[in-house]
Amino acid sequence: MTTSPPPARTATRPPRPSTKPNGQWKIDGTAPLNGNEEWKQVDDGLAVRGRIENIYAAGGFSSIDPTDLHGRFRVWGLYTQRKPGIDGGRTATLTPEELEDEYFMLRVRIDGGQLTTAQLRVIAGISQEFGRDTADLTDRQNIQLHWVEVESMPEIWRRLEAVGLGTTEACGDVPRVVLGSPVAGISADELIDPTPQIDEITSRFIGDPTLSNLPRKFKSAITGHPSQDVVHEINDVAFVALEHPELGVGYDLWVGGGLSTAPRLGERLGVFVAPERVAEVWHGVAQIFRDYGYRRLRNKARLKFLLAEWGTEKFRQVLQDEYLGDALPDGPAAPKPTTPGDHVGIHRQKDGRFYVGATPVVGRVSGTTLAALADLIEAHGSSRLRTTPHQKVVILDIPEDRVESLVAGLDELGLQARPSLIRRGTIACTGIEFCKLAIVETKVNATAAVHDLEKRLAGFDLPHPISLHVNGCPNSCARIQTADIGLKGQLVTIDGEQVPGYQVHLGGGLASRDRGEAGLGRTVRGLKVAADGIADYVDRVVRRFLDERDAAVDETFAQWAHRADEEALQ
């Protein structure tokens, strides 16, 4: 039996050789090869804001141009949400127009997850006044609202921008939010505060029309913390802090990560990036994607496919020769993390005060909860908090004698700083409640499973959090391939009847204190779980793990899941 971490796997291959051009601008020219590429060239997505404010807000939903509605609106964080009452079996058979309601999901962009209580209170007010009190903490450090009407957008933007927030390029084929360590600048053990690098990238390049027409989404992450707390392996570009033996503290550069239906883990380019060059290098990688990324087929248009064709050596050479103008120094890999990266619990800051990480159930909160949270934080002498890539919230700057009072107040809001390991490890995507792509409900099912499992497993001593990620479709917004137990929404046949359910992925994970490197989960042929059977399945498989694990070597769930017989995983 082996107890070493399961090897990293990738499922992404470069496109097969074709006589057709791939739509790479520097090779094939910029002539659009499909309708999506055509409308992006006809009018940039950034330009639609003026029409929203001056035309559509006055004319209402029926006045919106269809191309703006289904394309350019995304650049400003707006997606039409799913019409209530349409079951998952019809997701693939109906058009977007048939699936959509006249309301929007609105994504508030929060780079680095950094918020003030004043900003949080504004988001809360927008939720309460314009979004039917909805709010979700996402695994991209954003906050999503629902039930938003186009008529409300000018006032929403006015309120957000008055406190330094916005929705610019929160969605679309653009540089999305830059993930950052939730404990940047305050952790006692961080190597470097990445906030200046995040600020330089966002101030220089977000809203830049030279980068607002990329082949697909472009995801970024930067951390200065040794826990590697920004899921760097599944971003298009990521910078992970380390101390170079000769050059001091800087960053290890990763490129080409991404999940969805063709998962691929990012790869190191083997270079060391000094802090003052991060924005320049980020820009170089983004331009490579713009100029060489595949545009003919959208399902092959992520950077990971280009990396699969080129390999890291060519990617590094093109970056240096064509976009930087000089060579980056070689650099080592960052050490294995030694602490959890979700920052849940109570931790001392470098200034002697404390930060407290708390978890809702699967990221679901509300405007009312967020407003009460802002009040609670201020009542305890602080005005700062952070969102995390794990659907958590971290409150900063709490005096030692106020910590327990804060924890008690968080509990009353449903935000637990001492959660069960099941609650701590569970995240879920938006699901069929609002998402037009979803096949299965997620938030409600996952929440019910968490509450049930907390009772069922109360007497068991779990050796570590069991990550349970629940996704409503194959696109993996909830990172199903990198969870201990990942559930992919689909229609499944159980006892001869087709019902909403999930395909099961087991033993995935990203770099953490429990595993040295990232790896994708395994699937077992025929292993499906009904939508209402999450708790039954997790209870059964976790008990088997506890019975069979090799405690002598502190075997993790992922290690066990990769070595276990298929029968044990049923």
Side-chain angles (χ1 to χ4, degrees), residues 24 39 51 179 198 271 496 549:
Q24 296 168 280
W39 68 251
R51 293 193 288 278
L179 297 186
I198 295 172
V271 299
R549 74 181 290 258

Side-chain angles (χ1 to χ4, degrees), residues 284-475:
V285 175
Q287 290 177 97
I288 286 177
F289 184 41
R290 179 195 64 198
D291 297 341
Y292 288 104
Y294 307 134
R295 293 175 182 262
R296 182 169 66 89
L297 300 174
R298 282 187 68 76
N299 65 351
K300 300 292 184 182
R302 291 292 299 277
L303 186 63
K304 60 188 176 183
F305 293 99
L306 181 66
L307 181 67
E309 178 192 351
W310 279 7
T312 55
E313 185 175 347
K314 179 177 179 179
F315 196 104
R316 176 179 177 176
Q317 201 65 49
V318 172
L319 174 64
Q320 294 175 156
D321 293 350
E322 296 187 27
Y323 296 92
L324 301 181
D326 63 342
L328 294 167
D330 293 339
K336 174 184 173 182
T338 58
T339 57
D342 63 3
H343 303 296
V344 170
I346 301 162
H347 309 269
R348 187 180 293 274
Q349 298 179 181
K350 64 176 63 175
D351 64 3
R353 293 179 292 179
F354 286 78
Y355 66 89
V356 178
T359 179
V361 181
V362 298
R364 175 57 53 86
V365 285
S366 66
T368 298
T369 298
L370 296 180
L373 177 59
D375 292 341
L376 179 69
I377 294 170
E378 291 179 354
H380 286 77
S382 177
S383 62
R384 295 199 296 164
L385 68 151
R386 306 276 169 83
T387 54
T388 85
H390 302 279
Q391 297 183 344
K392 311 292 189 283
V393 62
V394 179
I395 294 90
L396 312 185
D397 307 332
I398 302 302
E400 184 170 8
D401 62 352
R402 305 302 308 279
V403 168
E404 289 303 325
S405 173
L406 176 74
V407 169
L410 290 169
D411 277 340
E412 292 178 4
L413 297 177
L415 303 169
Q416 294 187 1
R418 298 185 179 100
S420 70
L421 295 185
I422 287 292
R423 182 176 300 212
R424 180 173 179 172
T426 302
I427 68 174
C429 74
T430 300
I432 203 170
E433 180 181 12
F434 295 118
C435 180
K436 300 192 299 293
L437 300 178
I439 302 167
V440 183
E441 173 54 48
T442 55
K443 296 284 190 185
V444 171
N445 292 343
T447 297
V450 166
H451 291 312
D452 196 352
L453 288 165
E454 286 178 331
K455 297 174 183 176
R456 297 189 191 202
L457 299 174
F460 290 84
D461 185 18
L462 297 180
H464 55 82
I466 302 293
S467 55
L468 170 63
H469 294 188
V470 185
N471 213 77
C473 76
N475 287 317

Side-chain angles (χ1 to χ4, degrees), residues 9-16 256-267 294 299-310 481 520:
R9 298 193 298 112
T10 179
T12 299
R13 297 178 177 86
R16 294 177 180 176
L259 295 178
S260 192
T261 56
R264 181 182 179 87
L265 297 170
E267 296 185 57
Y294 307 134
N299 65 351
K300 300 292 184 182
R302 291 292 299 277
L303 186 63
K304 60 188 176 183
F305 293 99
L306 181 66
L307 181 67
E309 178 192 351
W310 279 7
Q481 300 98 333
L520 303 178

Side-chain angles (χ1 to χ4, degrees), residues 485 504 506 527 529 533-541 569-570:
I485 304 170
V504 181
L506 294 164
L527 178 53
V529 174
I534 296 175
D536 289 338
Y537 177 73
V538 174
D539 180 38
R540 187 165 64 246
V541 77
L569 302 175
Q570 296 292 331

